[in-house]
Amino acid sequence: MNDCIFCKIIKGEIPSFKIFEDEHAFAFLDINPIERGHTLVIPKFHAKELFFLPPEELAGVMPAIQRTATLLKKKLGCDGMALSQLNGEAAGQTVFHVHFHLIPRYAGTPIDWTPKTPAPTMEELAALHRQILG
Ligand code: AMP
Ligand code: ZN
């Protein structure tokens, strides 16, 4: 738990581009996005997979997902929003603290699950962060 990078992000021990925070949840830009604006929403409660997240904590994070998705849609002008959540290595999970991916979608563009290369620079992420929060 102590070496969990997402717990460290919640505590501010690892920097992140925070999009939203409330009592139950924390949302921040993904540093290896598959789409500009790709954002992660995480419960503050540490559980490695959905199977281990208490239902009341899941219920607590859902409003933050909706609110963050609404903000991203408004500020980025995307046509849709994909919500993805992976559990276990077999599903492609790489960080073992439950997280929900919000991925802006555009009409006529099929989703490509490969992270964009090159990854955005810190300056690009900072500009995106300003656009979303501005
Ligand atoms: P998953 O494959 O569902 O476990 O996704 C983990 C996600 O966390 C990936 O999209 C990574 O790009 C993202 N990620 C890993 N470390 C960080 C970090 N320090 N800040 C922001 N996003 C991160
Ligand atoms: Zn954690």
Side-chain angles (χ1 to χ4, degrees), residues 84-111:
S84 152
Q85 199 273 319
L86 309 178
N87 298 283
E89 279 173 29
Q93 186 180 6
T94 60
V95 177
F96 289 88
H97 178 128
V98 170
H99 52 279
F100 295 82
H101 297 260
L102 284 172
I103 304 156
R105 304 306 315 134
Y106 295 90
T109 309
I111 198 158

Side-chain angles (χ1 to χ4, degrees), residues 17 19-20 26-30 33 35-41 68 72 76 82 100-104 128 132:
F17 290 102
I19 301 296
F20 178 74
F26 192 99
F28 56 104
L29 295 178
D30 194 303
E35 184 64 76
R36 188 171 184 270
H38 181 170
T39 297
L40 301 176
V41 187
T68 305
L72 291 173
L76 300 177
F100 295 82
H101 297 260
L102 284 172
I103 304 156
L128 171 62
I132 295 166

Side-chain angles (χ1 to χ4, degrees), residues 1 4-8 10 45-47 96-97:
M1 216 176 283
C4 170
I5 61 166
F6 285 0
C7 283
K8 286 182 177 164
I10 292 165
F45 184 96
H46 176 91
F96 289 88
H97 178 128

